[in-house]
Amino acid sequence: EVGELPLNAQVKLLRALQENEIDPVGGKKPVKVDFRLISATNRDLIQLVKDGKFREDLYYRLNVFPIRVPPLRDRREDIPELARHFLARFSAEEGKRLLTGFDESALGILSQFDWPGNIRQLENTIFRAVVLCDRNRLSLEEFPQLLPHNQTDPSSHHPNQIGTQNQFDELNENRQPYKMPAPERPRPPRQDPFGFIRYLNDSGQMRSLENVEKDIIQLALDHYDQRMTEVARRLGIGRSTLYRKLKEFGLHSEDNEIAAE
């Protein structure tokens, strides 16, 4: 959260960016550093500059490639995917492997909530639900804090109606009934950025070493245009070992043999 840095820390950060050196605590001389910085803020840095709370030179030094991430309420189509990701992660961590999904009503109210705390709030909400759940799917019972205020009293509902559409029926003539969102459209398979290696599967479990090794070799082949000598050198293995692994993993092709060395 770069917008929260005090002015004296801003000076040190600016020096590290411009001079590529820092003064270690207890050190006798500056030390050269080489790094890339990714910073984030939810503050209006321009206004902080005007107010004298943020250095203008540091602002322009940081503002090289800005990326605006809209709040979660402005990209509700991401909520189901994020919720499933957190469910897979926390169910694996908590040893609840039978907990595999959401009831439609639960996923609906997650998508409709405004999430003022954005992804961190969603993450904590799913974690709480996973800890409390003793079934194989998360339902509305695990998300009472997201329900309309006057519908959180269990005494106002028949016990068998918890987790159904009846929980959202109109309580008086002045209220509009809760409407379930339209069914999700199928989303295209997620494309990982080039150079990204996935170590967990969709269930939150570690992938096998063989599968990870296969991905690394395929990535090296793509990165070095299937130049076998270069691929083997960068991976730290012999060419014969590389060709053997290509055959084992089903990555072997004529292109590998005729590629320019």
Side-chain angles (χ1 to χ4, degrees), residues 183-194:
E184 295 181 63
R185 295 181 180 179
R187 302 187 66 180
R190 178 170 53 187
Q191 296 294 325
D192 294 325
F194 180 77

Side-chain angles (χ1 to χ4, degrees), residues 174-185:
N174 296 324
R175 291 185 58 84
Q176 295 295 321
Y178 175 84
K179 295 181 180 180
M180 292 296 296
E184 295 181 63
R185 295 181 180 179

